[in-house]
Amino acid sequence: MRRFAAFSGLIMLLGFLAVFGAIGYKLMSGRKSVPAEIAGTIQLPKGADVRAAVVAGDLIAVTVTREGRIETHLFDLETRAPRGVLGFASAP
C-alpha cells in the first residue's frame, strides 16, 4: 500500500510540474519585444480621418473614416509597407 501511495504521489507531482511548466512557458514565450521607439510616416488615402491606431504584434492597425465608411489599414511595423485593408459595412 505504501508503494502505491508513493507512486500515486509521484505521478501527481509530475502532473503539477507539467501544468506549471506549461503556464510558465506560455507567459514567457508569448511576449515579443517591441522597438523602444516607433517613428516614421505612414501614407493614408486622401481625406482619411484617423480614428485609432494600435500596434499589435508585427502590425500597425490604423482605423480611419473615409467618405463615410470605416476602414482599418494594416501596415508592417518595421517597413511601414501596407499589408491590407479591412472595410466595415452594416448588414442589410
Side-chain angles (χ1 to χ4, degrees), residues 42 44-45 47-55 60-66 69-75 84-88:
I42 294 176
L44 295 172
D49 182 32
V50 176
R51 299 184 70 175
V54 176
V55 175
I60 301 172
V62 181
T63 303
V64 300
T65 303
R66 184 171 65 123
R69 295 182 313 216
I70 297 175
E71 300 174 337
T72 298
H73 294 259
L74 302 171
F75 299 91
V85 177
L86 296 172
F88 300 92

